[in-house]
Amino acid sequence: MIRIILALTLLSMAVFGADSIAVPTVNLSLSAPDTPQQLVSSLNVLVILTLLVLVPSMVLVMTTFTRFVIVFGFLRQALGTQQVPPTQLLVMLAMILTFFVMEPIGTKAYNQGIKPYVAQEIGYEEAFTKTLLPFKNFMIRNTREKDLALFLRIRKIQNPKTIADVPLSIAIPAFIISEMKTAFEIGFLLFLPFLVIDMVVASILMSMGMMMLPPVMISLPFKILVFVLIDGWNLLIGNLIASIK
């Protein structure tokens, strides 16, 4: 997990244009800078701390978290269980699954970029490039060509020849809307069986003349029973992870 956070920290620095900033040493003194170089170093510390705060946001938009949390929200709506499971639990589950899926990518980025840089084997810019590449490869693999072409067309950029040629400012929004479309497709498929149960229960109640009894009260136990009998959580999470390229 620490390796993933470190890799995403360097990655977020690249996104916000910090690829030319040298990592400064931390100086806690409050004295005024005597030279321009000292002022630049102080500003670099501020930039680094700001980027560390932005790492959680980068986790949301550059990993599978978006897909997981949207699908879990659709599942709860389809079951009709209101606040069960709680939102905090679903978000935490989505976060844990995200780290599970992204761990190999974060480890690869750490070994290729951060570890050699810490060992002073490569330069700062090369470390950024090598750290960025595994995440960019992951995003491009899970992005539809149509979505990628949309942002390339908006920016009036020619089709890139390699993944390394795709700007991060193009890859991130294309990846986000691709993940949202995939999550909505999965959510639609989740709704179908539970919708059938609701319709069957409503039809039976109407045929029996029980107009005043809410169908949800009757269908909810059946939907929960069906979900438990098919081992729904195991089936859903297994297929969610399998859908990731």
Side-chain angles (χ1 to χ4, degrees):
M1 186 178 298
I2 295 177
R3 293 179 178 180
I4 297 175
I5 294 176
L6 288 173
L8 288 173
T9 301
L10 285 178
L11 190 56
S12 61
M13 293 168 64
V15 174
F16 291 94
D19 54 343
S20 60
I21 299 175
V23 177
T25 57
V26 178
N27 185 3
L28 299 179
S29 64
L30 299 178
S31 59
D34 298 327
T35 63
Q37 289 77 11
Q38 292 181 0
L39 177 61
V40 172
S41 298
S42 300
L43 292 176
N44 287 346
V45 172
L46 179 61
V47 171
I48 297 298
L49 294 177
T50 303
L51 293 174
L52 287 174
V53 176
L54 294 175
V55 167
S57 300
M58 302 304 297
V59 171
L60 298 181
V61 300
M62 301 180 66
T63 64
T64 57
F65 178 82
T66 301
R67 183 183 305 190
F68 289 142
V69 76
I70 291 177
V71 170
F72 292 156
F74 273 121
L75 173 64
R76 189 170 66 181
Q77 291 293 326
L79 285 172
T81 53
Q82 302 299 325
Q83 297 299 320
V84 180
T87 301
Q88 295 86 345
L89 179 60
L90 293 180
V91 172
M92 196 62 193
L93 177 60
M95 186 67 70
I96 292 174
L97 292 175
T98 299
F99 279 114
F100 174 79
V101 172
M102 299 300 296
E103 182 181 7
I105 299 169
T107 301
K108 185 177 180 180
Y110 175 83
N111 291 331
Q112 289 183 357
I114 300 177
K115 190 174 181 180
Y117 177 76
V118 173
Q120 300 182 353
E121 297 176 357
I122 59 176
Y124 190 71
E125 294 184 0
E126 185 179 358
F128 262 121
T129 302
K130 291 186 176 181
T131 304
L132 174 67
L133 191 57
F135 287 95
K136 188 183 290 187
N137 288 336
F138 171 79
M139 287 190 291
I140 297 299
R141 286 199 310 269
N142 291 275
T143 301
R144 298 187 306 163
E145 293 184 3
K146 182 179 180 181
D147 296 329
L148 193 61
L150 171 66
F151 291 97
L152 290 172
R153 185 172 64 253
I154 294 174
R155 280 284 187 88
K156 298 180 180 179
I157 300 176
Q158 294 182 351
N159 293 335
K161 296 181 180 179
T162 62
I163 293 179
D165 296 333
V166 179
L168 201 61
S169 58
I170 300 295
I172 292 178
F175 173 73
I176 293 174
I177 63 175
S178 292
E179 286 292 285
M180 293 179 65
K181 182 180 185 299
T182 302
F184 272 70
E185 290 175 345
I186 298 174
F188 172 75
L189 295 176
L190 282 174
F191 258 98
L192 288 180
F194 298 116
L195 179 61
V196 171
I197 295 176
D198 286 332
M199 294 177 63
V200 170
V201 171
S203 299
I204 293 175
L205 291 178
M206 290 184 64
S207 64
M208 296 175 63
M210 304 175 66
M211 301 292 188
M212 303 302 295
L213 182 63
V216 177
M217 294 183 59
I218 306 301
S219 63
L220 179 59
F222 286 100
K223 290 191 289 187
I224 295 176
L225 178 63
V226 170
F227 189 73
V228 171
L229 290 177
I230 65 173
D231 198 2
W233 286 110
N234 184 287
L235 187 63
L236 175 62
I237 292 176
N239 283 278
L240 272 176
I241 296 177
S243 68
I244 299 169
K245 301 177 182 178

